[in-house]
Amino acid sequence: MHKKHDAIIVGGGLFGVSTAYFLAKAGWSVLLIDRGFIGAASSGANFGGLRLQGRALEQYPLSLLAQQYWERFQEEFGSPCEYERNGMIYFAHSDKGREKLLHYAENSRQCGLAINLWEGEELRKNLPWLSGDGIIASYSPACAVANPRLATPAIARAFKRLGGSILENCVIEQFRKDGDGFVLTSADGQEFMAATLINAAGGWADSIAETFGETVPLLRAGPPQFVTEPLPYVLKPSIYTIEGDLIIRQISRGNFIFAGYPRTMSNEDGRHTFVPPAKTRNGMQAIGRYIPALKHAEVIRVWSGVEAYLPDMLPVIGASQTTPGLFHAFGGSGGGFQVGPAVGLCLSNIILGRPNDVPMEPYGIGRFRSQIKTSDKLKLEFDAARPTQRRHL
């Protein structure tokens, strides 16, 4: 039996390490456990976009709070993460897409985000490389990018400097409520105790929630992604089609990183999301269609991640409704990387009994007690979206 901690966090992704950091900063004894390596799942395999445009209205306060931490990431966490406020462009290539883009732009402006709209000659002037398929674009200079392979480990190191403990490659097979606390048993027989348990297990978080009587309609999937050979640096902003078939950015070393819809469902064991070769081909065809100058770029690596999606595309953040001392932080739904630091801050405030400056009611796990209809947006972004089998952690 290991020593008892104030809190155990299961899941070493961005939600988990951020919560661990802010609890340790408040003086708590925290143990962070991951079944693999810190930041090695979706937190390290995502596109790296810190997108502010296109958020649900209720998520903007959380997103704008997170941006404050990305802006001063190195000052807060002690290491760089290749943060760059490069701006982001949405463009539409259909009438339906134009309608959606204008709706997104209005939502952004309502929440204080500056948005420029370009059509006709102004569109051609600002995006001379764009093919004739583009009919309207919106530009947000506040949007940014960061390197996902650096960000989560940086916060984990900051957490350790505050006295936190990390245990990697530890599979927890049993979770048990024991009096006023929790006992966790690993596959190799180790036991860990804490008064507070935080479920930040990403694509595996529904299994922990189910253990404590909370059923969550979680999907495991990932977008097809690839990176090209290095090319001359010519494209600063991130580029997204509102229809989702092209998401691309160029890093300072010259490589172009691509992502796009529809996402692919993860394999049955939930450990990998494979990218069908046809999706890489389709991605290159989209690049050639919208940015003809890149149609002959060479793809050098293909990957995806295992991301957790919920029907309303909002994460779960907050206290369990069945088990005192249990808290949840999971389900980034494709936008979790950007909000990650704010998720950790706000959840730690909830745990510590401190007030939050942003409303947290939209993120409660209790919203799934009544059936939530899967949004049309969610249906369009997945190939044959279906629940996968639950597994032991």
Side-chain angles (χ1 to χ4, degrees):
M1 180 76 73
H2 290 252
K3 75 170 186 176
K4 187 173 183 179
H5 293 81
D6 295 322
I8 293 175
I9 299 176
V10 178
L14 191 55
F15 285 9
V17 298
S18 297
T19 305
Y21 170 82
F22 286 110
L23 286 176
K25 194 174 181 180
W28 276 38
S29 167
V30 182
L31 172 63
L32 180 64
I33 300 176
D34 194 273
R35 64 182 297 163
F37 293 100
I38 297 298
S42 62
S43 290
N46 65 78
F47 180 73
L50 303 176
R51 172 179 56 84
L52 297 171
Q53 288 195 83
R55 297 272 168 181
L57 273 174
E58 59 266 47
Q59 198 176 55
Y60 266 104
L62 188 71
S63 183
L64 293 171
L65 174 62
Q67 187 191 25
Q68 297 175 30
Y69 282 90
W70 287 112
E71 293 265 336
R72 53 185 184 85
F73 188 95
Q74 186 165 353
E75 177 186 347
E76 178 71 38
F77 302 114
S79 301
C81 65
E82 296 183 0
Y83 172 84
E84 181 185 6
R85 186 187 270 212
N86 64 330
M88 176 201 155
I89 293 168
Y90 265 133
F91 75 87
H93 55 78
S94 66
D95 290 338
K96 187 174 181 180
R98 183 181 189 278
E99 182 180 337
K100 182 189 291 187
L101 184 147
L102 291 172
H103 174 70
Y104 278 4
E106 179 58 28
N107 283 354
S108 297
R109 285 170 169 169
Q110 283 185 40
C111 298
L113 188 66
I115 297 292
N116 297 325
L117 289 175
W118 300 327
E119 292 187 84
E121 288 303 314
E122 194 172 15
L123 176 66
R124 305 304 161 204
K125 177 183 176 181
N126 285 287
L127 307 180
W129 43 262
L130 180 63
S131 71
D133 290 277
I135 61 175
I136 187 173
S138 64
Y139 171 61
S140 165
C143 295
V145 293
N147 188 332
R149 299 183 70 178
L150 299 179
T152 301
I155 301 176
R157 290 192 297 272
F159 163 63
K160 290 187 72 174
R161 288 194 294 271
L162 292 171
S165 300
I166 295 176
L167 185 58
E168 296 178 304
N169 294 308
C170 180
V171 178
I172 301 299
E173 289 194 335
Q174 185 181 60
F175 297 83
R176 187 175 82 251
K177 187 78 166 75
D178 184 32
D180 294 331
F182 297 85
V183 177
L184 281 60
T185 305
S186 67
D188 60 0
Q190 298 182 78
E191 288 193 336
F192 309 94
M193 298 179 62
T196 300
L197 174 64
I198 295 104
N199 171 20
W204 300 269
D206 57 333
S207 297
I208 298 176
E210 185 73 29
T211 297
F212 295 99
E214 295 180 293
T215 300
V216 180
L218 182 146
L219 300 175
R220 282 166 281 273
Q225 299 180 85
F226 61 75
V227 63
T228 73
E229 62 184 318
L231 295 165
Y233 184 67
V234 294
L235 186 65
K236 183 176 181 179
S238 300
I239 310 298
Y240 291 57
T241 58
I242 204 79
E243 293 85 357
D245 50 347
L246 176 78
I247 302 172
I248 194 168
R249 67 183 179 97
Q250 188 178 23
I251 63 175
S252 59
R253 292 180 289 276
N255 309 79
F256 284 86
I257 301 174
F258 169 92
Y261 307 151
R263 297 174 174 94
T264 306
M265 299 304 296
S266 301
N267 61 336
E268 288 298 324
D269 67 7
R271 290 182 176 273
H272 304 284
T273 304
F274 295 108
V275 180
K279 290 198 173 184
T280 303
R281 183 185 66 241
N282 292 343
M284 279 305 303
Q285 288 175 343
I287 290 174
R289 174 183 174 185
Y290 303 123
I291 312 176
L294 298 179
K295 65 182 179 181
H296 297 304
E298 294 286 341
V299 175
I300 61 174
R301 184 165 66 90
V302 175
W303 77 96
S304 189
V306 179
E307 300 180 344
Y309 293 86
L310 296 166
D312 56 6
M313 299 295 275
L314 294 175
V316 167
I317 311 164
S320 164
Q321 293 202 339
T322 64
T323 311
L326 172 64
F327 296 85
H328 301 289
F330 64 85
S333 299
F337 183 62
Q338 193 276 331
V339 298
V343 170
L345 173 65
C346 292
L347 183 60
S348 67
N349 285 339
I350 292 171
I351 294 168
L352 295 166
R354 298 173 176 174
N356 275 308
D357 293 331
V358 301
M360 300 305 295
E361 291 80 10
Y363 308 108
I365 196 169
R367 69 188 194 267
F368 297 111
R369 286 189 171 179
S370 58
Q371 185 176 2
I372 290 183
K373 182 180 178 182
T374 300
S375 69
D376 291 338
K377 182 175 186 286
L378 187 66
K379 293 175 183 176
L380 291 172
E381 292 184 3
F382 291 83
D383 285 336
R386 56 175 175 76
T388 55
Q389 296 178 356
R390 294 188 175 92
R391 298 155 309 284
H392 296 294
L393 299 187

PDB file of all heavy atoms in Angstrom, residues 272-299:
ATOM      1  N   HIS A 272      -5.591   2.650 -30.676  1.00  0.00           N
ATOM      2  CA  HIS A 272      -5.109   3.282 -31.902  1.00  0.00           C
ATOM      3  C   HIS A 272      -6.287   3.686 -32.781  1.00  0.00           C
ATOM      4  O   HIS A 272      -7.361   3.085 -32.728  1.00  0.00           O
ATOM      5  CB  HIS A 272      -4.211   2.333 -32.702  1.00  0.00           C
ATOM      6  CG  HIS A 272      -3.038   1.802 -31.946  1.00  0.00           C
ATOM      7  ND1 HIS A 272      -1.910   2.546 -31.689  1.00  0.00           N
ATOM      8  CD2 HIS A 272      -2.822   0.593 -31.370  1.00  0.00           C
ATOM      9  CE1 HIS A 272      -1.047   1.825 -31.006  1.00  0.00           C
ATOM     10  NE2 HIS A 272      -1.580   0.635 -30.784  1.00  0.00           N
ATOM     11  N   THR A 273      -6.048   4.714 -33.584  1.00  0.00           N
ATOM     12  CA  THR A 273      -6.952   5.044 -34.675  1.00  0.00           C
ATOM     13  C   THR A 273      -6.126   4.994 -35.952  1.00  0.00           C
ATOM     14  O   THR A 273      -5.193   5.779 -36.118  1.00  0.00           O
ATOM     15  CB  THR A 273      -7.559   6.451 -34.507  1.00  0.00           C
ATOM     16  OG1 THR A 273      -8.214   6.525 -33.249  1.00  0.00           O
ATOM     17  CG2 THR A 273      -8.550   6.739 -35.612  1.00  0.00           C
ATOM     18  N   PHE A 274      -6.436   4.047 -36.798  1.00  0.00           N
ATOM     19  CA  PHE A 274      -5.658   3.884 -38.021  1.00  0.00           C
ATOM     20  C   PHE A 274      -6.189   4.809 -39.115  1.00  0.00           C
ATOM     21  O   PHE A 274      -7.387   5.091 -39.181  1.00  0.00           O
ATOM     22  CB  PHE A 274      -5.698   2.434 -38.486  1.00  0.00           C
ATOM     23  CG  PHE A 274      -5.029   1.486 -37.526  1.00  0.00           C
ATOM     24  CD1 PHE A 274      -5.769   0.608 -36.758  1.00  0.00           C
ATOM     25  CD2 PHE A 274      -3.648   1.505 -37.366  1.00  0.00           C
ATOM     26  CE1 PHE A 274      -5.162  -0.250 -35.856  1.00  0.00           C
ATOM     27  CE2 PHE A 274      -3.031   0.658 -36.461  1.00  0.00           C
ATOM     28  CZ  PHE A 274      -3.791  -0.222 -35.712  1.00  0.00           C
ATOM     29  N   VAL A 275      -5.307   5.273 -39.974  1.00  0.00           N
ATOM     30  CA  VAL A 275      -5.684   6.164 -41.064  1.00  0.00           C
ATOM     31  C   VAL A 275      -5.758   5.360 -42.356  1.00  0.00           C
ATOM     32  O   VAL A 275      -4.732   4.903 -42.867  1.00  0.00           O
ATOM     33  CB  VAL A 275      -4.661   7.307 -41.223  1.00  0.00           C
ATOM     34  CG1 VAL A 275      -5.079   8.223 -42.376  1.00  0.00           C
ATOM     35  CG2 VAL A 275      -4.532   8.092 -39.931  1.00  0.00           C
ATOM     36  N   PRO A 276      -6.956   5.147 -42.894  1.00  0.00           N
ATOM     37  CA  PRO A 276      -7.063   4.439 -44.175  1.00  0.00           C
ATOM     38  C   PRO A 276      -6.300   5.190 -45.267  1.00  0.00           C
ATOM     39  O   PRO A 276      -6.360   6.436 -45.323  1.00  0.00           O
ATOM     40  CB  PRO A 276      -8.569   4.450 -44.461  1.00  0.00           C
ATOM     41  CG  PRO A 276      -9.220   4.660 -43.138  1.00  0.00           C
ATOM     42  CD  PRO A 276      -8.282   5.540 -42.372  1.00  0.00           C
ATOM     43  N   PRO A 277      -5.551   4.498 -46.111  1.00  0.00           N
ATOM     44  CA  PRO A 277      -4.785   5.184 -47.163  1.00  0.00           C
ATOM     45  C   PRO A 277      -5.637   6.118 -48.017  1.00  0.00           C
ATOM     46  O   PRO A 277      -5.158   7.166 -48.460  1.00  0.00           O
ATOM     47  CB  PRO A 277      -4.218   4.019 -47.990  1.00  0.00           C
ATOM     48  CG  PRO A 277      -4.114   2.886 -47.018  1.00  0.00           C
ATOM     49  CD  PRO A 277      -5.284   3.032 -46.102  1.00  0.00           C
ATOM     50  N   ALA A 278      -6.905   5.756 -48.217  1.00  0.00           N
ATOM     51  CA  ALA A 278      -7.776   6.604 -49.034  1.00  0.00           C
ATOM     52  C   ALA A 278      -7.947   7.992 -48.422  1.00  0.00           C
ATOM     53  O   ALA A 278      -8.131   8.984 -49.139  1.00  0.00           O
ATOM     54  CB  ALA A 278      -9.144   5.936 -49.206  1.00  0.00           C
ATOM     55  N   LYS A 279      -7.879   8.071 -47.092  1.00  0.00           N
ATOM     56  CA  LYS A 279      -8.049   9.372 -46.452  1.00  0.00           C
ATOM     57  C   LYS A 279      -6.823  10.261 -46.664  1.00  0.00           C
ATOM     58  O   LYS A 279      -6.950  11.486 -46.771  1.00  0.00           O
ATOM     59  CB  LYS A 279      -8.345   9.206 -44.968  1.00  0.00           C
ATOM     60  CG  LYS A 279      -9.736   8.626 -44.720  1.00  0.00           C
ATOM     61  CD  LYS A 279     -10.192   8.861 -43.307  1.00  0.00           C
ATOM     62  CE  LYS A 279     -11.648   8.426 -43.151  1.00  0.00           C
ATOM     63  NZ  LYS A 279     -12.183   8.718 -41.817  1.00  0.00           N
ATOM     64  N   THR A 280      -5.650   9.663 -46.726  1.00  0.00           N
ATOM     65  CA  THR A 280      -4.461  10.447 -47.048  1.00  0.00           C
ATOM     66  C   THR A 280      -4.544  10.945 -48.482  1.00  0.00           C
ATOM     67  O   THR A 280      -4.249  12.117 -48.769  1.00  0.00           O
ATOM     68  CB  THR A 280      -3.196   9.604 -46.842  1.00  0.00           C
ATOM     69  OG1 THR A 280      -3.162   9.123 -45.492  1.00  0.00           O
ATOM     70  CG2 THR A 280      -1.946  10.424 -47.117  1.00  0.00           C
ATOM     71  N   ARG A 281      -4.981  10.078 -49.370  1.00  0.00           N
ATOM     72  CA  ARG A 281      -5.152  10.493 -50.769  1.00  0.00           C
ATOM     73  C   ARG A 281      -6.191  11.611 -50.881  1.00  0.00           C
ATOM     74  O   ARG A 281      -5.980  12.617 -51.574  1.00  0.00           O
ATOM     75  CB  ARG A 281      -5.579   9.296 -51.620  1.00  0.00           C
ATOM     76  CG  ARG A 281      -5.715   9.637 -53.110  1.00  0.00           C
ATOM     77  CD  ARG A 281      -6.254   8.483 -53.928  1.00  0.00           C
ATOM     78  NE  ARG A 281      -7.631   8.176 -53.550  1.00  0.00           N
ATOM     79  CZ  ARG A 281      -8.033   7.020 -53.057  1.00  0.00           C
ATOM     80  NH1 ARG A 281      -7.150   6.042 -52.846  1.00  0.00           N
ATOM     81  NH2 ARG A 281      -9.303   6.812 -52.737  1.00  0.00           N
ATOM     82  N   ASN A 282      -7.313  11.452 -50.188  1.00  0.00           N
ATOM     83  CA  ASN A 282      -8.351  12.483 -50.223  1.00  0.00           C
ATOM     84  C   ASN A 282      -7.836  13.814 -49.672  1.00  0.00           C
ATOM     85  O   ASN A 282      -8.185  14.884 -50.171  1.00  0.00           O
ATOM     86  CB  ASN A 282      -9.572  12.032 -49.426  1.00  0.00           C
ATOM     87  CG  ASN A 282     -10.302  10.870 -50.074  1.00  0.00           C
ATOM     88  OD1 ASN A 282     -10.093  10.590 -51.256  1.00  0.00           O
ATOM     89  ND2 ASN A 282     -11.142  10.199 -49.311  1.00  0.00           N
ATOM     90  N   GLY A 283      -6.993  13.717 -48.627  1.00  0.00           N
ATOM     91  CA  GLY A 283      -6.432  14.926 -48.058  1.00  0.00           C
ATOM     92  C   GLY A 283      -5.547  15.661 -49.043  1.00  0.00           C
ATOM     93  O   GLY A 283      -5.613  16.894 -49.172  1.00  0.00           O
ATOM     94  N   MET A 284      -4.701  14.917 -49.761  1.00  0.00           N
ATOM     95  CA  MET A 284      -3.846  15.551 -50.759  1.00  0.00           C
ATOM     96  C   MET A 284      -4.666  16.117 -51.913  1.00  0.00           C
ATOM     97  O   MET A 284      -4.324  17.169 -52.479  1.00  0.00           O
ATOM     98  CB  MET A 284      -2.814  14.553 -51.281  1.00  0.00           C
ATOM     99  CG  MET A 284      -1.608  14.369 -50.370  1.00  0.00           C
ATOM    100  SD  MET A 284      -0.747  15.921 -49.957  1.00  0.00           S
ATOM    101  CE  MET A 284      -0.339  16.563 -51.587  1.00  0.00           C
ATOM    102  N   GLN A 285      -5.760  15.446 -52.250  1.00  0.00           N
ATOM    103  CA  GLN A 285      -6.630  15.991 -53.299  1.00  0.00           C
ATOM    104  C   GLN A 285      -7.276  17.300 -52.856  1.00  0.00           C
ATOM    105  O   GLN A 285      -7.417  18.233 -53.657  1.00  0.00           O
ATOM    106  CB  GLN A 285      -7.703  14.958 -53.668  1.00  0.00           C
ATOM    107  CG  GLN A 285      -7.153  13.774 -54.442  1.00  0.00           C
ATOM    108  CD  GLN A 285      -8.195  12.689 -54.693  1.00  0.00           C
ATOM    109  OE1 GLN A 285      -9.249  12.653 -54.049  1.00  0.00           O
ATOM    110  NE2 GLN A 285      -7.896  11.795 -55.620  1.00  0.00           N
ATOM    111  N   ALA A 286      -7.657  17.384 -51.571  1.00  0.00           N
ATOM    112  CA  ALA A 286      -8.230  18.628 -51.052  1.00  0.00           C
ATOM    113  C   ALA A 286      -7.196  19.749 -51.077  1.00  0.00           C
ATOM    114  O   ALA A 286      -7.498  20.892 -51.448  1.00  0.00           O
ATOM    115  CB  ALA A 286      -8.748  18.415 -49.632  1.00  0.00           C
ATOM    116  N   ILE A 287      -5.950  19.431 -50.695  1.00  0.00           N
ATOM    117  CA  ILE A 287      -4.890  20.436 -50.747  1.00  0.00           C
ATOM    118  C   ILE A 287      -4.692  20.925 -52.178  1.00  0.00           C
ATOM    119  O   ILE A 287      -4.609  22.131 -52.447  1.00  0.00           O
ATOM    120  CB  ILE A 287      -3.576  19.860 -50.185  1.00  0.00           C
ATOM    121  CG1 ILE A 287      -3.693  19.646 -48.674  1.00  0.00           C
ATOM    122  CG2 ILE A 287      -2.398  20.781 -50.505  1.00  0.00           C
ATOM    123  CD1 ILE A 287      -2.503  18.942 -48.056  1.00  0.00           C
ATOM    124  N   GLY A 288      -4.643  19.986 -53.117  1.00  0.00           N
ATOM    125  CA  GLY A 288      -4.467  20.358 -54.512  1.00  0.00           C
ATOM    126  C   GLY A 288      -5.628  21.176 -55.056  1.00  0.00           C
ATOM    127  O   GLY A 288      -5.444  22.058 -55.899  1.00  0.00           O
ATOM    128  N   ARG A 289      -6.833  20.892 -54.556  1.00  0.00           N
ATOM    129  CA  ARG A 289      -8.016  21.620 -55.024  1.00  0.00           C
ATOM    130  C   ARG A 289      -8.021  23.063 -54.532  1.00  0.00           C
ATOM    131  O   ARG A 289      -8.302  23.980 -55.307  1.00  0.00           O
ATOM    132  CB  ARG A 289      -9.285  20.895 -54.553  1.00  0.00           C
ATOM    133  CG  ARG A 289     -10.572  21.643 -54.873  1.00  0.00           C
ATOM    134  CD  ARG A 289     -11.789  20.920 -54.319  1.00  0.00           C
ATOM    135  NE  ARG A 289     -12.997  21.716 -54.497  1.00  0.00           N
ATOM    136  CZ  ARG A 289     -14.201  21.382 -54.036  1.00  0.00           C
ATOM    137  NH1 ARG A 289     -14.361  20.241 -53.361  1.00  0.00           N
ATOM    138  NH2 ARG A 289     -15.245  22.168 -54.248  1.00  0.00           N
ATOM    139  N   TYR A 290      -7.727  23.262 -53.252  1.00  0.00           N
ATOM    140  CA  TYR A 290      -7.862  24.590 -52.661  1.00  0.00           C
ATOM    141  C   TYR A 290      -6.567  25.399 -52.682  1.00  0.00           C
ATOM    142  O   TYR A 290      -6.594  26.629 -52.698  1.00  0.00           O
ATOM    143  CB  TYR A 290      -8.363  24.479 -51.220  1.00  0.00           C
ATOM    144  CG  TYR A 290      -9.667  23.732 -51.101  1.00  0.00           C
ATOM    145  CD1 TYR A 290      -9.787  22.603 -50.293  1.00  0.00           C
ATOM    146  CD2 TYR A 290     -10.789  24.140 -51.817  1.00  0.00           C
ATOM    147  CE1 TYR A 290     -10.978  21.914 -50.187  1.00  0.00           C
ATOM    148  CE2 TYR A 290     -11.993  23.439 -51.723  1.00  0.00           C
ATOM    149  CZ  TYR A 290     -12.076  22.328 -50.913  1.00  0.00           C
ATOM    150  OH  TYR A 290     -13.260  21.642 -50.819  1.00  0.00           O
ATOM    151  N   ILE A 291      -5.422  24.714 -52.621  1.00  0.00           N
ATOM    152  CA  ILE A 291      -4.119  25.393 -52.627  1.00  0.00           C
ATOM    153  C   ILE A 291      -3.275  24.718 -53.713  1.00  0.00           C
ATOM    154  O   ILE A 291      -2.407  23.878 -53.434  1.00  0.00           O
ATOM    155  CB  ILE A 291      -3.425  25.309 -51.252  1.00  0.00           C
ATOM    156  CG1 ILE A 291      -4.396  25.689 -50.124  1.00  0.00           C
ATOM    157  CG2 ILE A 291      -2.205  26.223 -51.209  1.00  0.00           C
ATOM    158  CD1 ILE A 291      -3.824  25.555 -48.729  1.00  0.00           C
ATOM    159  N   PRO A 292      -3.537  25.028 -54.970  1.00  0.00           N
ATOM    160  CA  PRO A 292      -2.904  24.296 -56.080  1.00  0.00           C
ATOM    161  C   PRO A 292      -1.383  24.270 -56.032  1.00  0.00           C
ATOM    162  O   PRO A 292      -0.766  23.303 -56.503  1.00  0.00           O
ATOM    163  CB  PRO A 292      -3.414  25.050 -57.315  1.00  0.00           C
ATOM    164  CG  PRO A 292      -4.709  25.679 -56.882  1.00  0.00           C
ATOM    165  CD  PRO A 292      -4.503  26.037 -55.444  1.00  0.00           C
ATOM    166  N   ALA A 293      -0.763  25.282 -55.448  1.00  0.00           N
ATOM    167  CA  ALA A 293       0.701  25.321 -55.409  1.00  0.00           C
ATOM    168  C   ALA A 293       1.299  24.175 -54.599  1.00  0.00           C
ATOM    169  O   ALA A 293       2.482  23.861 -54.744  1.00  0.00           O
ATOM    170  CB  ALA A 293       1.166  26.659 -54.830  1.00  0.00           C
ATOM    171  N   LEU A 294       0.476  23.523 -53.770  1.00  0.00           N
ATOM    172  CA  LEU A 294       0.983  22.436 -52.912  1.00  0.00           C
ATOM    173  C   LEU A 294       0.596  21.051 -53.415  1.00  0.00           C
ATOM    174  O   LEU A 294       0.823  20.064 -52.717  1.00  0.00           O
ATOM    175  CB  LEU A 294       0.443  22.617 -51.482  1.00  0.00           C
ATOM    176  CG  LEU A 294       0.844  23.894 -50.753  1.00  0.00           C
ATOM    177  CD1 LEU A 294       0.215  23.924 -49.359  1.00  0.00           C
ATOM    178  CD2 LEU A 294       2.363  24.020 -50.646  1.00  0.00           C
ATOM    179  N   LYS A 295       0.018  20.965 -54.593  1.00  0.00           N
ATOM    180  CA  LYS A 295      -0.542  19.672 -55.016  1.00  0.00           C
ATOM    181  C   LYS A 295       0.514  18.589 -55.227  1.00  0.00           C
ATOM    182  O   LYS A 295       0.194  17.403 -55.212  1.00  0.00           O
ATOM    183  CB  LYS A 295      -1.380  19.845 -56.276  1.00  0.00           C
ATOM    184  CG  LYS A 295      -0.623  20.275 -57.509  1.00  0.00           C
ATOM    185  CD  LYS A 295      -1.596  20.446 -58.677  1.00  0.00           C
ATOM    186  CE  LYS A 295      -0.878  20.903 -59.930  1.00  0.00           C
ATOM    187  NZ  LYS A 295      -1.840  21.078 -61.056  1.00  0.00           N
ATOM    188  N   HIS A 296       1.774  18.971 -55.387  1.00  0.00           N
ATOM    189  CA  HIS A 296       2.833  17.967 -55.589  1.00  0.00           C
ATOM    190  C   HIS A 296       3.688  17.763 -54.339  1.00  0.00           C
ATOM    191  O   HIS A 296       4.735  17.106 -54.406  1.00  0.00           O
ATOM    192  CB  HIS A 296       3.723  18.376 -56.764  1.00  0.00           C
ATOM    193  CG  HIS A 296       3.005  18.425 -58.077  1.00  0.00           C
ATOM    194  ND1 HIS A 296       2.329  17.335 -58.582  1.00  0.00           N
ATOM    195  CD2 HIS A 296       2.836  19.451 -58.959  1.00  0.00           C
ATOM    196  CE1 HIS A 296       1.790  17.674 -59.750  1.00  0.00           C
ATOM    197  NE2 HIS A 296       2.069  18.949 -59.993  1.00  0.00           N
ATOM    198  N   ALA A 297       3.263  18.283 -53.203  1.00  0.00           N
ATOM    199  CA  ALA A 297       4.021  18.078 -51.966  1.00  0.00           C
ATOM    200  C   ALA A 297       4.068  16.598 -51.600  1.00  0.00           C
ATOM    201  O   ALA A 297       3.101  15.854 -51.825  1.00  0.00           O
ATOM    202  CB  ALA A 297       3.390  18.882 -50.832  1.00  0.00           C
ATOM    203  N   GLU A 298       5.170  16.172 -51.025  1.00  0.00           N
ATOM    204  CA  GLU A 298       5.346  14.766 -50.637  1.00  0.00           C
ATOM    205  C   GLU A 298       4.935  14.561 -49.184  1.00  0.00           C
ATOM    206  O   GLU A 298       5.364  15.312 -48.298  1.00  0.00           O
ATOM    207  CB  GLU A 298       6.804  14.347 -50.812  1.00  0.00           C
ATOM    208  CG  GLU A 298       7.291  14.343 -52.241  1.00  0.00           C
ATOM    209  CD  GLU A 298       6.737  13.173 -53.044  1.00  0.00           C
ATOM    210  OE1 GLU A 298       6.287  12.191 -52.414  1.00  0.00           O
ATOM    211  OE2 GLU A 298       6.754  13.244 -54.282  1.00  0.00           O
ATOM    212  N   VAL A 299       4.119  13.550 -48.926  1.00  0.00           N
ATOM    213  CA  VAL A 299       3.723  13.181 -47.565  1.00  0.00           C
ATOM    214  C   VAL A 299       4.816  12.307 -46.962  1.00  0.00           C
ATOM    215  O   VAL A 299       5.235  11.324 -47.572  1.00  0.00           O
ATOM    216  CB  VAL A 299       2.377  12.435 -47.570  1.00  0.00           C
ATOM    217  CG1 VAL A 299       2.026  11.941 -46.168  1.00  0.00           C
ATOM    218  CG2 VAL A 299       1.267  13.339 -48.103  1.00  0.00           C
TER     219      VAL A 299
END
